[in-house]
């Protein structure tokens, strides 16, 4: 397996990416765990204009975004408010 298929904690990181652009200060992005439990395992705070590229992995099944942001995914663009 290629090294870049491993996430930081050894989980497979071959999933799709999303791009989030914050449209205000204090936008938060939370990674939610895969499996029976859904808990937040990581959160990041973005200020206006900052962009984050995030990936779905074996650990991350869902991504929650709070605040005003542009969200670009394979299924299109949506704006959170
Ligand atoms: N732990 C849940 C799961 O693996 C995480 C999840 C996936 C989720 N998709 C979701 C939580 C949609 C809320 C909404 O299924």
């Amino acid at each position: 397996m290629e090294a870049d298929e491993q996430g930081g904690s050894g989980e497979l990181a071959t999933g799709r990416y999303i791009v989030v652009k914050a449209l205000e200060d204090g936008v938060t992005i939370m990674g939610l765990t895969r499996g029976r439990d859904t808990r937040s395992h990581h959160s990041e705070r973005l200020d206006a204009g900052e962009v984050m590229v995030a990936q779905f992995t074996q650990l991350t099944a869902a991504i929650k975004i709070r605040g005003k942001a542009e969200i670009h995914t394979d299924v299109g663009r949506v704006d959170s408010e």
Side-chain angles (χ1 to χ4, degrees), residues 15-33:
R16 295 176 188 279
Y17 287 86
I18 69 164
V19 174
V20 179
K21 179 179 178 184
L23 298 177
E24 65 181 3
D25 290 349
V27 168
T28 61
I29 304 178
M30 278 161 280
L32 305 180
T33 55

Side-chain angles (χ1 to χ4, degrees), residues 6-57:
Q6 293 287 335
S9 48
E11 78 276 18
L12 281 175
T14 54
R16 295 176 188 279
Y17 287 86
I18 69 164
V19 174
V20 179
K21 179 179 178 184
L23 298 177
E24 65 181 3
D25 290 349
V27 168
T28 61
I29 304 178
M30 278 161 280
L32 305 180
T33 55
R34 190 177 300 284
R36 183 182 274 275
D37 292 346
T38 302
R39 58 179 179 76
S40 174
H41 66 76
H42 188 87
S43 93
E44 284 288 330
R45 179 185 185 278
L46 301 186
D47 285 332
E50 288 186 317
V51 170
M52 181 147 177
V53 180
Q55 188 179 33
F56 291 97
T57 64

